[in-house]
Amino acid sequence: HPAHRFKEPATPARTVLDARARAAEAGVRYAYVGNVPGSRWENTYCPECQRLLMRRGMGRLLESRLVDGDRCECGERVPIVR
């Protein structure tokens, strides 16, 4: 997105969302987007059961639903980098 001295127009949201879809199709299990407010893909979902794991907004983590620090409720281990 445009910032400080960057003069080019913002990347269209559709382009960002299409890139996320291609990443997911290629096997990226935790592909999410930033700078597309209101998109469900700002968040992280469990690749096994599709439950919401991490809810984001405005570039911030608003809620984590991980159990025991690195698991989904279904038991799927989520690789977290701290």
Side-chain angles (χ1 to χ4, degrees):
H1 67 86
H4 189 52
R5 294 184 181 183
F6 188 73
K7 302 295 183 201
E8 299 300 316
T11 303
R14 181 80 261 151
T15 301
V16 175
L17 294 170
D18 288 347
R20 186 240 153 252
R22 286 193 304 277
E25 288 169 9
V28 176
R29 296 178 61 153
Y30 301 98
Y32 65 93
V33 301
N35 298 317
V36 183
S39 168
R40 87 180 289 269
W41 299 115
E42 283 185 297
N43 305 309
T44 299
Y45 298 87
C46 176
E48 291 302 314
C49 71
Q50 305 310 308
R51 281 185 177 103
L52 175 66
L53 295 176
M54 296 182 191
R55 186 171 62 90
R56 294 182 185 82
M58 300 300 291
R60 296 177 187 263
L61 178 63
L62 302 175
E63 176 184 14
S64 173
R65 295 183 181 179
L66 294 174
V67 178
D68 296 328
D70 70 346
R71 298 204 178 273
C72 176
E73 289 180 35
C74 75
E76 177 73 10
R77 186 176 176 284
V78 180
I80 297 294
V81 176
R82 296 177 201 263

